Amino acid sequence: MDNATPNSFWQFDTKYWFQKLTSSENGLSENALKVLQLQSKSIRKKKLGFLSDISLFVGQFKSPLMLLLIGAVILSAFLGDTSDVYIILFIVVSTGLLSFLQERNASRVVEKLQYMIALKCKVLRNNQEVDIAANTILIGDVLLLKAGDMIPADCLLISSNELHANESSLTGESYPVSKTVGVLPESTELNKRTNCLWEGTNIVSGTAKALVIATGSQTIFGTIAQSAGTSVETSFEKGIKDFGFFLMKITLILSFFILIVNLLNHKSIIESALFALALAVGMAPELLPAITTIAMSAGAKRMLNKKVIVKKLASIQNLGEIDLLCTDKTGTITEGAIKVAGCVDLKGVENEWVKKLAFWNASFQTGYANPIDDALKNNPVTMANQPIKIGEIPYDFIRKRLTVALDLGSEKIVITKGAFNEIIASCSSVFLSDKSTVSITEYKAKLKEQYEQYGLKGMRVLGICYKNTTAATVTREDENEMIFAGFILLEDPIKSGIIETIAQLKNLRIHLKIITGDNKNVALSIARNLGITNPVVLTGQELMHDSIEALTVKVKKVHIFAEVEPQQKEHIIQALRKSYTVAYMGDGINDVSAITAADIGISVENAVDVAREAADFVLMEKNLMVLIDGIKEGRKTFANTLKYIFINTGSTFGNMFSVAIASLLLPFLPMLPKQILLTNFITDFPYLTIASDNVDEEQLKRPGKWNLKFIRNYMIIFGIHSSIFDVITFLTLFYVLKVKESAFQTAWFVESILTELFILFIIRTHKNFFQSKPGSYLFLLSLVGLGLTLFLPYSFLAKEAGLVPLPLKNLGILFGIVLTYIISADLLKVWFFKKYRS
């Protein structure tokens, strides 16, 4: 027994583990706590910030393009071409440093966001309840768990009450597993270890006290996470990656072709190789990973200011794509501040006994906190003696009821409240106003009619029942042969301004559908209050009779789904995803499967742990206006990321393609390799500020969908447009002005940078460029790039860069070509977006 390890802890009882871990039912003592905290530092040792930064910096030079440039530096140094060494080395180090600083700032934003939504848990230490961060749990801690809690470590049960856990993340079993205290053989299979709780799973119902046996990488979940080490790509990430590979293929094929042609034309082997390499770097979207990371981190920071916490950074782009929002009604459509409208008997009259039963049931339940019980507890009653709790059966989504057993002094009583149909099914008698009871049979029809009438008035209705008992505790078998006491009537009016908020969603081309467990009549009442004419309401019962194909068609026409079971929410979302990009917003255990199934999962800060853990975004307020702000930021991030893709596929690709064509016809290289790299370097600076650029309101009014065909069309049209003007420049320089090699290279160097800088201002908006204000950083760095380009041919660095001063006549002609390019590109852009995005 002394050889016991955490790998088989289920075969020993808690007394053994208390002794082994120096703990007890009251938790870790102060002395044991200090010892374990010291030991845990070696297990949970984090990478030092300095080492992490060094690793990130080195990582900037691991890409194939960076390695090729480093190879070019070494080759140039070997050949003694010091000017190329310094220029290429400066470009490599500056680009890497700039990208490092931007990504480092991005990671700091992510760390801050993760800290804000870190899971908390309740533990016993020195017999005191303490709330701590889940990642600071120690072996030997005693956890206090309730429905909705995520389990932060592998544990052994000390005590439990009607405990059920969802272990699907580990075992694949979709049904909750019943958990009880006990000792099991060492050979017991994972899904049958009913005395254990596992990290990464969650409590569905009931309460428990559990001893922490293993944490971090020592847990089963930690072992799986280490061996897997993979993350699921978002649709935008996949699109970006595929597009990047597409461009890289074209780039490498073209560069290799140019290298062969130049060699056949008897040009210098080294110059030709460096030229082909520089051309590959110039055309390739080497900044794409950095820009997407920067754009998403900048978006996350802006969204935090709008009270939206980004939990999964890569999901920001997907948020910009959504065109359907599904949500529950409580707290989003309605106020969420539930009020008790009445506790009434069979005749619909306020009844003190019904009120007392409701108050006691809500006050003595110890499951997860909910607004209904909070409202009932704030509806106090007068009592001669304080009841004593003797038992509880917590609420779960299968039984749909909550039971407590109390000792009133003179008698013991079992009280159950819950969904009306479940309560009626548990009752054999009904309580009358004269305090007598009769068989429920002849009253069932009347009770159901009353229930429907209350629903049509927009009230949420619960049933409540009771019976006397002699037992010392309560079990599920006691939830029968009960006496129906009456109705609990609850009000939750729609939020002020919600109709205007829904109109804003509509302006953003986002449909709204409500999914609720409330009955059909309540759903109809809410729909009418929202101003929906002829609302279409579909119930969970009706859903069961539809095939997947029929459901996919039907759900598009539905406004509200009512009387929906938790597992049905997932089926609804999956059906809707065939026609929409779906976001689902929820905060309860019953919402988790839908949050996971949706394209975007959204929860709120005060949601149950498992809902927050499953979500991509967490709202600091359960308010649709907060979400609307977040969606706009998501679309802004999406739009700014696409700007770089457009630039790279339009002007940059066009310019480099033209250089490649010219190299076939000219007796010299149209641009030196270092000039191509310098062009790339100067234009990269303003490109890196795209993440902070302004986005037109018109672009925020439609979902940002990833469309490779649309981008390919843009690439062809604008690439051809750019190449035409490059050819005009080439013909003018070589055949009209008859310039020599250095002057030609200088002129084309200037023209290439100017067109790439100006196309950024043109393509950043769908309107005429002078009608849209660019971001201040983008504007300033573009001005710096423009000034540097015009200054270099006349500076002391000109000789090192292979540049010469240009005559005013040549400059004037160049500016004329560039001005014509700007005007025609702007007109072409307006036409293009009208034609392909209408």
Side-chain angles (χ1 to χ4, degrees):
M1 184 172 281
D2 290 334
N3 295 325
T5 68
N7 294 330
S8 55
F9 62 86
W10 51 89
Q11 64 179 310
F12 303 107
D13 62 18
T14 51
K15 287 181 182 179
Y16 169 80
W17 285 109
F18 284 144
Q19 185 178 3
K20 190 173 180 68
L21 301 176
T22 323
S23 186
S24 71
E25 279 201 44
N26 297 326
L28 293 167
S29 64
E30 195 170 337
N31 290 334
L33 188 59
K34 288 178 181 177
V35 172
L36 282 168
Q37 283 175 332
L38 285 172
Q39 291 175 348
S40 70
K41 285 181 181 177
S42 61
I43 297 171
R44 289 180 176 153
K45 203 171 189 180
K46 286 189 175 181
K47 219 174 189 184
L48 292 173
F50 177 73
L51 292 177
S52 179
D53 286 346
I54 291 292
S55 176
L56 182 63
F57 181 71
V58 172
Q60 305 303 317
F61 304 96
K62 290 181 179 177
S63 72
L65 289 168
M66 279 295 192
L67 292 174
L68 283 172
L69 284 177
I70 292 168
V73 170
I74 295 169
L75 181 63
S76 298
F78 179 75
L79 296 171
D81 192 345
T82 53
S83 64
D84 278 11
V85 170
Y86 291 135
I87 289 174
I88 299 173
L89 189 62
F90 173 75
I91 291 169
V92 168
V93 173
S94 300
T95 303
L97 184 62
L98 192 64
S99 185
F100 159 73
L101 291 173
Q102 292 279 17
E103 286 198 40
R104 185 174 179 271
N105 289 337
S107 67
R108 296 290 186 271
V109 171
V110 176
E111 283 176 17
K112 182 180 177 183
L113 294 173
Q114 294 295 343
Y115 176 77
M116 291 181 69
I117 55 172
L119 290 179
K120 301 289 192 297
C121 57
K122 194 180 289 292
V123 299
L124 271 180
R125 286 180 175 173
N126 279 325
N127 204 28
Q128 298 290 319
E129 291 188 12
V130 184
D131 288 316
I132 63 171
N135 61 1
T136 62
I137 290 289
L138 297 171
I139 293 172
D141 264 325
V142 173
L143 297 175
L144 301 176
L145 300 164
K146 64 182 185 304
D149 286 349
M150 288 291 293
I151 299 166
D154 286 356
C155 312
L156 185 67
L157 281 176
I158 300 170
S159 63
S160 66
N161 178 29
E162 292 291 335
L163 187 68
H164 289 79
N166 175 8
E167 297 185 341
S168 58
S169 58
L170 286 181
T171 65
E173 175 57 60
S174 57
Y175 292 100
V177 180
S178 177
K179 296 287 184 176
T180 54
V181 177
V183 174
L184 296 169
E186 183 182 4
S187 59
T188 306
E189 297 171 12
L190 177 64
N191 62 346
K192 294 178 182 176
R193 294 171 195 165
T194 53
N195 61 343
C196 303
L197 296 173
W198 310 106
E199 181 187 2
T201 64
N202 64 278
I203 305 298
V204 175
S205 64
T207 57
K209 187 189 283 189
L211 177 67
V212 174
I213 305 293
T215 61
S217 60
Q218 295 178 320
T219 65
I220 291 177
F221 188 83
T223 304
I224 294 171
Q226 279 188 327
S227 62
T230 57
S231 56
V232 178
E233 280 185 327
T234 65
S235 60
F236 188 85
E237 283 178 311
K238 187 179 185 305
I240 286 285
K241 187 179 77 173
D242 291 346
F243 184 70
F245 280 130
F246 168 69
L247 277 188
M248 284 293 290
K249 286 175 186 175
I250 295 175
T251 298
L252 291 175
I253 290 168
L254 186 60
S255 299
F256 184 73
F257 173 73
I258 296 304
L259 173 62
I260 298 300
V261 169
N262 280 326
L263 290 176
L264 291 175
N265 287 340
H266 306 292
K267 294 175 184 175
S268 163
I269 295 175
I270 301 303
E271 281 289 307
S272 297
L274 288 175
F275 177 76
L277 174 62
L279 204 61
V281 172
M283 285 190 292
E286 76 279 2
L287 283 182
L288 196 53
I291 282 179
T292 53
T293 301
I294 294 162
M296 288 187 292
S297 63
K301 201 170 183 179
R302 290 194 302 268
M303 289 170 80
L304 181 59
N305 294 332
K306 300 289 179 69
K307 300 183 179 180
V308 179
I309 299 173
V310 180
K311 191 166 175 290
K312 298 175 184 176
L313 197 63
S315 297
I316 290 179
Q317 308 286 7
N318 280 12
L319 186 63
E321 290 191 38
I322 69 164
D323 50 14
L324 174 66
L325 172 64
C326 295
T327 177
D328 59 357
K329 67 176 182 59
T330 306
T332 49
I333 304 301
T334 61
E335 291 288 350
I338 293 175
K339 298 173 185 175
V340 180
C343 296
V344 301
D345 60 16
L346 177 67
K347 293 184 178 180
V349 177
E350 189 74 20
N351 187 285
E352 190 64 22
W353 176 238
V354 178
K355 186 178 178 182
K356 275 186 180 180
L357 292 173
F359 177 80
W360 287 336
N361 181 280
S363 300
F364 286 99
Q365 74 92 15
T366 54
Y368 66 96
N370 62 84
I372 292 175
D373 285 325
D374 290 341
L376 290 170
K377 285 188 281 188
N378 291 326
N379 193 35
V381 296
T382 55
M383 293 181 291
N385 298 308
Q386 177 69 19
I388 298 171
K389 180 179 174 180
I390 58 175
E392 177 182 357
I393 308 174
Y395 181 88
D396 65 63
F397 294 98
I398 299 170
R399 291 165 42 252
K400 294 185 180 178
R401 51 185 181 253
L402 163 66
T403 298
V404 296
L406 305 175
D407 186 341
L408 303 181
S410 58
E411 59 182 343
K412 293 177 182 177
I413 188 172
V414 176
I415 309 167
T416 301
K417 81 169 188 299
F420 172 77
N421 290 329
E422 300 298 326
I423 295 298
I424 283 289
S426 303
C427 294
S428 59
S429 306
V430 62
F431 171 79
L432 301 179
S433 54
D434 62 0
K435 298 186 179 179
S436 63
T437 60
V438 295
S439 172
I440 199 170
T441 305
E442 60 184 283
Y443 288 95
K444 273 190 176 180
K446 182 180 179 181
L447 290 171
K448 286 182 179 179
E449 185 182 345
Q450 278 183 272
Y451 170 67
E452 289 182 6
Q453 288 300 316
Y454 290 133
L456 287 170
K457 293 176 183 177
M459 292 183 184
R460 183 170 184 181
V461 187
L462 300 181
I464 189 158
C465 59
Y466 70 101
K467 75 176 181 181
N468 293 335
T469 185
T470 56
T473 184
V474 64
T475 64
R476 293 193 183 202
E477 285 68 37
D478 292 313
E479 292 180 332
N480 61 71
E481 299 297 316
M482 302 190 81
I483 303 166
F484 184 83
F487 300 96
I488 300 170
L489 307 180
L490 303 163
E491 291 182 313
D492 188 10
I494 66 167
K495 281 186 174 181
S496 59
I498 190 64
I499 295 173
E500 291 77 12
T501 303
I502 292 172
Q504 286 200 42
L505 281 172
K506 191 174 181 181
N507 288 337
L508 292 171
R509 301 192 186 188
I510 297 173
H511 303 274
L512 177 70
K513 294 185 188 294
I514 301 167
I515 304 176
T516 178
D518 276 354
N519 73 72
K520 185 174 184 176
N521 292 328
V522 174
L524 280 168
S525 175
I526 287 178
R528 292 187 184 111
N529 288 336
L530 292 174
I532 300 173
T533 53
N534 301 318
V536 179
V537 178
L538 190 67
T539 66
Q541 191 66 30
E542 292 167 332
L543 280 170
M544 295 171 67
H545 305 297
D546 290 320
S547 65
I548 295 173
E549 292 76 15
L551 185 61
T552 302
V553 175
K554 186 180 285 188
V555 292
K556 292 169 69 175
K557 302 173 184 176
V558 175
H559 297 101
I560 301 182
F561 299 89
E563 300 173 24
V564 172
E565 303 284 343
Q567 67 273 17
Q568 289 179 316
K569 291 184 179 183
E570 181 180 359
H571 295 147
I572 293 168
I573 296 300
Q574 288 172 340
L576 288 167
R577 284 186 65 194
K578 295 183 185 299
S579 305
Y580 303 96
T581 303
V582 182
Y584 181 85
M585 181 175 171
D587 60 1
I589 305 169
N590 57 327
D591 294 310
V592 173
S593 59
I595 289 173
T596 305
D599 295 288
I600 290 292
I602 303 165
S603 192
V604 290
E605 199 171 24
N606 60 352
V608 296
D609 288 350
V610 65
R612 285 193 295 133
E613 187 69 12
D616 303 299
F617 298 89
V618 177
L619 307 187
M620 296 167 76
E621 291 179 12
K622 194 172 184 181
N623 188 325
L624 285 186
M625 277 307 301
V626 171
L627 185 57
I628 286 172
D629 289 337
I631 289 168
K632 286 182 178 179
E633 289 300 337
R635 291 183 180 181
K636 185 174 183 180
T637 304
F638 186 96
N640 281 337
T641 305
L642 280 184
K643 287 175 188 177
Y644 176 73
I645 293 172
F646 286 149
I647 293 160
N648 207 86
T649 55
S651 176
T652 304
F653 190 82
N655 282 348
M656 295 305 164
F657 186 78
S658 303
V659 171
I661 297 299
S663 70
L664 303 180
L665 305 175
L666 292 172
F668 50 81
L669 293 176
M671 285 175 72
L672 296 176
K674 55 190 170 187
Q675 291 168 350
I676 294 175
L677 294 175
L678 201 54
T679 299
N680 211 36
F681 178 71
I682 291 171
T683 54
D684 277 355
F685 270 100
Y687 292 172
L688 281 170
T689 64
I690 284 175
S692 62
D693 189 27
N694 299 329
V695 177
D696 297 336
E697 278 297 317
E698 292 83 353
Q699 285 181 258
L700 299 180
K701 287 182 178 178
R702 67 167 70 232
K705 300 285 187 182
W706 176 259
N707 187 336
L708 189 57
K709 184 180 177 182
F710 175 73
I711 295 171
R712 197 165 55 237
N713 288 338
Y714 173 88
M715 176 180 173
I716 293 168
I717 292 171
F718 280 82
I720 291 171
H721 174 264
S722 179
S723 292
I724 288 170
F725 277 87
D726 284 336
V727 170
I728 291 170
T729 305
F730 158 65
L731 294 174
T732 303
L733 289 172
F734 195 66
Y735 292 105
V736 178
L737 298 176
K738 301 186 184 303
V739 297
K740 301 300 180 185
E741 180 176 346
S742 294
F744 185 97
Q745 292 166 344
T746 302
W748 207 330
F749 169 79
V750 172
E751 188 265 356
S752 294
I753 294 179
L754 291 183
T755 54
E756 285 188 39
L757 289 176
F758 283 116
I759 196 65
L760 175 54
F761 289 91
I762 292 166
I763 209 61
R764 58 167 296 279
T765 175
H766 294 182
K767 302 184 289 189
N768 293 118
F769 75 92
F770 51 83
Q771 295 177 316
S772 177
K773 183 181 178 183
S776 54
Y777 291 116
L778 179 66
F779 183 72
L780 288 173
L781 282 179
S782 296
L783 279 181
V784 170
L786 178 64
L788 184 62
T789 303
L790 297 176
F791 166 74
L792 274 175
Y794 306 93
S795 72
F796 63 95
L797 296 171
K799 186 177 179 182
E800 294 297 323
L803 302 173
V804 295
L806 293 176
L808 287 177
K809 177 186 174 184
N810 292 14
L811 271 178
I813 291 172
L814 275 183
F815 287 153
I817 293 172
V818 170
L819 181 62
T820 309
Y821 170 80
I822 292 168
I823 295 169
S824 60
D826 196 48
L827 293 171
L828 181 65
K829 179 267 311 276
V830 173
W831 167 84
F832 177 82
F833 284 116
K834 277 184 180 177
K835 178 177 175 62
Y836 290 98
R837 292 299 295 270
S838 57

